[in-house]
Amino acid sequence: MAEAPRPAMRSSHAPEFSASLASSARVVQTDSVRITAEAVLAISEFFIEWQRLWRTSAVVRAQALDSADRELRLPYLHCHRDVSPESRAIAATNGEPTERFVRTSARFAIVASEYSEYAVCPSWIFGSSVPDVQDERLSRDGALVLALRPVARAARARLLLVLDSAVHALPHSGFLVGQRVRFLLEQRDGAGAERATQNCLAERWWCLALAGYVQDRLGASLEADSIYRVMERVMRDARPIDSLRHWYDVRPLVSSDAWQDYDSRLGEERIAAVKNFWWLSDPLFRETGNERWTAHQTRRVDIALRSALDGDERYVWDAERGGDALRQLILRYDWPSYTWWDSRATDVGHSGYLSLRRSRPVPPYSTFEYSLDRVHFTPAWTAAAAPFSAQESDWDIAPRESNGGIDATWWAPELVRPRHPMVQLPEGQTVLLRRDTNIVLVTAHNLTSPAIPSKSSRFDVLLLAAQSENLIDTVAHDVAEGGGAFVMRALLGRRPVVMSVEAALLDSTPLSARARFGVQPPPTLQMMRAGDIAISDLAIVRPATVSGDQAAPSDGRLGKLLSSLVLDASQRRIGLYWETYGLVPTDSVEIAVEVQPDLSVGTLRRIGMALRIANDPTRSLTIRWTEPSLQQRPSQLPGARPVLLREIALNLEPLAPGPYLLRVSVRKPGGATLSSGRRLVLQR
């Protein structure tokens, strides 16, 4: 049976962490060189033993695995970036791939090396279950069958004795201290790993990095967040900014369609956008710390510990042999839950593929499979570049199936396993209104998702306004029922903000729901100059009733703001509410309400297409009138500038199902036209 390669200390192609580790491990005394070499040899011998146990476990499990699951996994083990997913499927199924197999093969990303033809294909875990296995991210020995785990622990205990002695002799060695912490955690000795970081005498930033790493791996992410932030300050103080460019690099986490914009931002502009990226990746503004940012730092430390050597118990981390693909994989998705190895024959076949393409073979080869509980917290890069213009659709936490589970046909550029389940609220409706010294924001959302309990559940809902990572205010609070809708109203100042609607289940079961969007407030009434006129956002509200609602328009009607602009067949009658600023009731104005087919490729049209709604409706609707009019009388609010409130009822029943653009226009004869619009979808 082939042995794992004996790892050597890294000397090139290492990330920023590893370069520093290698530097701190260089010594001139003969005894120091000997001690370090003995430690590396002991690590290598442990890797060889652990890989033997892992291969044996794979052989044992193969007897219980369904042959169909093996068939599904093979294209992900043979991760050939120069072969189409369909071709991989045909090769793996003897020329007769099923439709399900081809779809599965095409779904996930390929993470490729820049220096080799080696690539990795991450995926969700295939099949209903894997026998006798634990999540490898939580327990490295979980990759082994139960009977062999004590053997691995005994071998690791022998290694730790060597590392204990080595660190005692060379306490300032960042390499030895880091490896000792790593193997203590893999031994499930959290207390020992904590003591090791408390007694750390290596470079201060590295000791802090290890301390944060230990706390996060032990589940104390808030403590890890605090430690990592101190570590980052120490790094910035100790190093020039150019040497930290890799530290701030999030390109692997960004969708490929944004790489051009990402690459065009250099120096401080890039750093500012990356800071926004992490700020907007914070799962909940209502909670202290940033769980997603903390996970990223932990992944960087994990990569540093592994790539300090050319190889580990299974994989090669040297970039020239494809290790850069592994680093990207861990940075984007963390360590997998399960890694499947097939056989020595499969290794020989894949090594032959690499050799033919002048790439060095790096057996053993495995799949990289993730549990179906990961979500996507990072925003679209456009949101990081312009956070106050961000749209709700710039986040895609994870789509849900009807049973509440994550949709297994979905994949993302990066994933994280959250501490608690979280869902994204359906896209709602938000309206901004001008007042004398502030802006009124009204936002409505459905508290619905297959993962959200029915109306018997209650949620604590906060509306938060964030100017930056460290300047976040709670501007409204409500308690809402699961499965229902809620409307929140708040006063904003003049500064642009990112709004976050965050609902937490008031139950012993942890569950959160969230929507997030940018807001750039318009000028207040006091900021308008004499002669200025303006129009508010158009609000779509439930239609007024004779008995229940006031006849005269009132901004209180925004309490009836529709929480979704995807309207079913029972919602063809709606109310339109808007305000004008700077016009008085006696001004002669021409008003038009137009409903036209929306043929743009926008968010709501994509929703409509997903709902199998016709995307080429031919009907439209236009209503025009002139004011002053006996039939249409606006209400007026007192203030620094005239504020006129208007509302009309609109019947959309004549319109065919599909996506539409609804627009209201107001024009003084001979003057400019004011307009405000909304996109909506009419369902069948």
Side-chain angles (χ1 to χ4, degrees):
M1 184 172 292
E3 293 185 343
R6 292 185 182 272
M9 289 290 296
R10 294 297 310 280
S11 59
S12 62
H13 304 296
E16 67 282 0
F17 267 140
S18 301
S20 182
L21 286 177
S23 174
S24 66
R26 293 192 190 102
V27 291
V28 295
Q29 297 89 350
T30 302
D31 284 350
S32 298
V33 173
R34 176 183 57 78
I35 291 169
T36 302
E38 289 175 351
V40 171
L41 178 61
I43 292 171
S44 176
E45 290 173 344
F46 171 75
F47 285 164
I48 293 170
E49 173 66 5
W50 196 95
Q51 187 184 123
R52 182 184 68 80
L53 299 173
W54 176 65
R55 289 176 185 258
T56 302
S57 297
V59 172
V60 172
R61 288 197 184 102
Q63 300 171 7
L65 282 175
D66 191 304
S67 60
D69 291 341
R70 177 181 184 273
E71 186 179 85
L72 284 173
R73 287 186 166 99
L74 275 175
Y76 293 88
L77 189 150
H78 287 287
C79 186
H80 301 170
R81 58 179 171 176
D82 59 347
V83 178
S84 70
E86 291 80 3
S87 297
R88 294 203 306 274
I90 290 170
T93 56
N94 299 318
E96 297 182 0
T98 64
E99 181 186 357
R100 171 174 173 264
F101 189 89
V102 174
R103 284 204 311 271
T104 301
S105 298
R107 187 164 66 232
F108 303 107
I110 293 181
V111 183
S113 169
E114 295 182 12
Y115 306 94
S116 164
E117 286 300 312
Y118 178 76
V120 293
C121 291
S123 69
W124 301 124
I125 288 181
F126 291 113
S128 56
S129 64
V130 179
D132 199 8
V133 69
Q134 288 181 314
D135 192 318
E136 289 188 36
R137 176 186 170 273
L138 304 177
S139 171
R140 195 53 43 88
D141 291 344
L144 310 179
V145 293
L146 188 61
L148 296 181
R149 291 173 197 170
V151 181
R153 288 182 57 82
R156 192 182 292 108
R158 292 192 295 271
L159 169 61
L160 282 167
L161 289 176
V162 176
L163 291 176
D164 290 347
S165 298
V167 170
H168 180 75
L170 300 175
H172 298 284
S173 169
F175 168 73
L176 292 174
V177 171
Q179 296 304 309
R180 181 167 177 253
V181 167
R182 166 192 173 180
F183 288 112
L184 282 167
L185 282 176
E186 292 187 2
Q187 192 74 339
R188 310 296 293 272
D189 184 1
E194 281 190 288
R195 287 193 299 272
T197 60
Q198 292 164 1
N199 298 326
C200 179
L201 296 178
E203 288 185 73
R204 184 165 181 250
W205 72 269
W206 180 236
C207 291
L208 289 166
L210 292 172
Y213 178 73
V214 169
Q215 292 303 316
D216 196 36
R217 286 305 191 205
L218 294 179
S221 61
L222 182 58
E223 289 80 356
D225 179 284
S226 300
I227 295 170
Y228 281 142
R229 294 188 187 280
V230 176
M231 175 209 69
E232 194 176 44
R233 287 196 295 270
V234 171
M235 288 183 67
R236 286 200 302 264
D237 292 343
R239 296 157 175 252
I241 193 66
D242 287 345
S243 69
L244 297 176
R245 64 184 183 278
H246 295 298
W247 178 258
Y248 289 100
D249 185 22
V250 297
R251 194 176 190 268
L253 310 183
V254 174
S255 177
S256 59
D257 58 6
W259 283 352
Q260 183 175 357
D261 182 81
Y262 181 89
D263 293 339
S264 70
R265 298 174 184 271
L266 305 174
E268 293 295 335
E269 185 184 11
R270 166 92 55 88
I271 291 174
V274 169
K275 286 182 177 179
N276 288 339
F277 180 83
W278 287 123
W279 163 38
L280 300 178
S281 299
D282 188 351
L284 291 172
F285 288 168
R286 67 190 291 161
E287 293 184 353
T288 304
N290 184 335
E291 178 186 346
R292 182 61 189 88
W293 178 84
T294 299
H296 186 70
Q297 312 315 309
T298 294
R299 294 176 188 184
R300 282 197 171 278
V301 179
D302 206 10
I303 292 168
L305 291 170
R306 294 182 170 279
S307 58
L309 297 165
D310 280 340
D312 63 12
E313 65 270 17
R314 284 172 286 187
Y315 307 116
V316 171
W317 293 86
D318 176 31
E320 289 185 349
R321 291 185 286 167
D324 58 321
L326 287 171
R327 290 201 292 268
Q328 274 205 53
L329 176 83
I330 303 306
L331 204 62
R332 290 166 62 177
Y333 302 111
D334 205 350
W335 196 264
S337 303
Y338 175 62
T339 53
W340 175 76
W341 177 76
D342 187 42
S343 66
R344 285 170 52 84
T346 299
D347 281 352
V348 170
H350 196 54
S351 290
Y353 163 83
L354 292 173
S355 296
L356 285 173
R357 287 154 181 79
R358 298 184 178 181
S359 295
R360 294 174 64 182
V362 286
Y365 307 102
S366 75
T367 60
F368 296 85
E369 303 178 35
Y370 292 83
S371 56
L372 195 58
D373 56 2
R374 319 273 172 139
V375 296
H376 177 48
F377 282 140
T378 60
W381 179 251
T382 53
F388 305 119
S389 299
Q391 306 295 313
E392 290 186 47
S393 57
D394 286 334
W395 287 265
D396 180 20
I397 292 177
R400 299 279 173 165
E401 295 184 329
S402 58
N403 63 2
I406 291 175
D407 184 353
T409 65
W410 169 80
W411 192 252
E414 63 80 35
L415 294 170
V416 68
R417 189 177 192 175
R419 283 178 298 174
H420 307 304
M422 183 180 296
V423 299
Q424 185 158 321
L425 293 174
E427 194 163 343
Q429 183 183 187
T430 300
V431 175
L432 299 177
L433 307 173
R434 306 186 193 205
R435 296 296 180 259
D436 283 352
T437 59
N438 50 41
I439 301 298
V440 174
L441 178 144
V442 184
T443 189
H445 292 269
N446 285 327
L447 192 49
T448 55
S449 164
I452 291 179
S454 65
K455 290 187 178 182
S456 60
S457 62
R458 290 165 63 81
F459 285 77
D460 181 76
V461 186
L462 296 183
L463 180 62
L464 303 106
Q467 296 181 35
S468 67
E469 179 183 17
N470 299 313
L471 191 55
I472 302 174
D473 295 316
T474 300
V475 293
H477 173 257
D478 196 4
V479 175
E481 291 185 341
F486 61 90
V487 180
M488 304 187 82
R489 185 178 181 122
L491 295 179
L492 301 182
R494 303 175 182 178
R495 295 183 180 276
V497 291
V498 172
M499 304 300 301
S500 194
V501 182
E502 299 181 359
L505 181 61
L506 293 171
D507 193 344
S508 57
T509 304
L511 174 66
S512 298
R514 192 195 77 186
R516 195 168 282 176
F517 50 91
V519 169
Q520 300 191 57
T524 63
L525 296 178
Q526 287 188 356
M527 295 171 65
M528 294 177 65
R529 296 171 299 181
D532 283 352
I533 58 174
I535 191 170
S536 72
D537 290 335
L538 176 62
I540 301 181
V541 299
R542 281 186 285 175
T545 61
V546 175
S547 59
D549 293 311
Q550 299 177 13
S554 163
D555 66 355
R557 288 280 293 131
L558 292 174
K560 306 295 184 181
L561 191 67
L562 290 185
S563 53
S564 173
L565 297 183
V566 179
L567 308 182
D568 62 31
S570 68
Q571 296 176 295
R572 293 299 193 261
R573 295 180 182 272
I574 59 175
L576 303 184
Y577 173 93
W578 71 95
E579 299 178 356
T580 56
Y581 311 105
L583 296 172
V584 297
T586 56
D587 283 335
S588 177
V589 293
E590 300 169 353
I591 300 176
V593 175
E594 298 176 286
V595 187
Q596 301 289 341
D598 182 9
L599 302 181
S600 65
V601 186
T603 300
L604 285 177
R605 186 181 178 201
R606 289 198 300 272
I607 294 173
M609 291 171 68
L611 294 170
R612 299 181 180 178
I613 295 171
N615 62 6
D616 188 21
T618 57
R619 300 180 184 178
S620 61
L621 178 67
T622 301
I623 304 173
R624 300 181 186 276
W625 71 93
T626 301
E627 294 186 10
S629 166
L630 294 177
Q631 288 75 31
Q632 299 290 341
R633 294 184 179 182
S635 298
Q636 182 172 0
L637 293 181
R641 293 285 185 272
V643 179
L644 299 184
L645 286 57
R646 290 181 172 87
E647 181 180 357
I648 68 165
L650 192 63
N651 182 6
L652 302 178
E653 289 180 348
L655 299 178
Y660 288 88
L661 178 60
L662 195 161
R663 184 171 298 278
V664 170
S665 301
V666 179
R667 187 178 75 89
K668 291 182 67 174
T673 298
L674 308 175
S675 65
S676 184
R678 290 280 179 189
R679 284 188 164 88
L680 54 82
V681 169
L682 301 183
Q683 289 181 313
R684 291 190 182 278

